[in-house]
Amino acid sequence: QGAAAALAGDPGAGRIDQDLTHGARRQGEEVLPVLDGDRLAVDTIAEATSATDQATGVKADLFVATKPFGTEINYNLTRLPGPRTCRLVIIRKNDTSEVISTWSVPGTGYGTNDNSIPLQSSGTTSTRMDDIGRVQVQSVDVNGVATPLVTVPL
C-alpha cells in the first residue's frame, strides 16, 4: 500500500524509513524511491554538488547518481562563453580519466548575457561513483588540446 497510497495522496505514505536505506546515507546524498510493484524501493544514491571556476567564471551544477551500470551525471552549465567545443571528463581517484560527453557551444554561449539559457545535458560511465574523484568541463581546441574550464570535486 505504501507507494500506491503515496501516489493517491496519503501524505505520510511516501516516507522512506531509515531501514530501507541500510545506513547508506552520507552527507550531501539522498536516497531516491522508486515504485517496485506496490512498495517503495531504494534505487539510487545521488549527490548534488556545484563549483564555479575563479579564473574562467564557468559554473557547473552536477547531480551524480549511482546506477546499476555505473554512474549517471546530469549537469547544468552557466557562464560558458562560445564559440568552442567542450567535453565532460571524469577523473578517477587513481588519476585515470574518461570523456563521457562532448558538445559544441554557440557564439552566444550558455548562461551568458547573450544567451541566458544554461546548457543542460548528461553523461554516463561504467565507473562507480565512489571511484570518481572529480568531474571536469574542458574546452578542446582545433588541435585537440584540452583546457580545464571548471573542476567539481566529488
Side-chain angles (χ1 to χ4, degrees):
Q1 277 190 4
L7 293 175
D10 182 349
R15 274 195 304 261
I16 300 174
D17 294 328
Q18 182 63 33
D19 65 329
L20 286 176
T21 66
H22 304 289
R25 273 180 211 239
R26 291 186 299 182
Q27 187 174 9
E29 294 183 345
E30 65 181 272
V31 176
L32 304 176
V34 294
L35 193 59
D36 179 17
D38 198 28
R39 67 183 184 85
L40 223 47
V42 175
D43 173 54
T44 303
I45 303 296
E47 186 171 329
T49 187
S50 63
T52 301
D53 187 276
Q54 296 302 312
T56 66
V58 176
K59 181 180 183 203
D61 297 307
L62 305 180
F63 185 76
V64 184
T66 296
K67 296 291 186 176
F69 57 78
T71 303
E72 178 180 59
I73 301 174
N74 293 291
Y75 54 97
N76 191 34
L77 301 176
T78 55
R79 303 182 202 145
L80 179 62
R84 66 178 70 217
T85 299
C86 292
R87 64 188 189 184
L88 188 72
V89 179
I90 62 154
I91 302 167
R92 298 177 189 93
K93 291 178 179 174
N94 68 5
D95 282 331
T96 60
S97 63
E98 176 185 356
V99 176
I100 64 168
S101 182
T102 64
W103 65 92
S104 295
V105 180
T108 56
Y110 289 106
T112 64
N113 289 335
D114 293 330
N115 177 17
S116 62
I117 299 170
L119 172 73
Q120 297 177 329
S121 193
S122 65
T124 60
T125 176
S126 61
T127 303
R128 294 171 13 117
M129 185 166 70
D130 289 344
D131 293 331
I132 300 173
R134 58 198 184 277
V135 177
Q136 192 170 75
V137 175
Q138 300 174 347
S139 179
V140 183
D141 70 17
V142 294
N143 297 315
V145 176
T147 304
L149 295 174
V150 61
T151 302
V152 184
L154 292 188

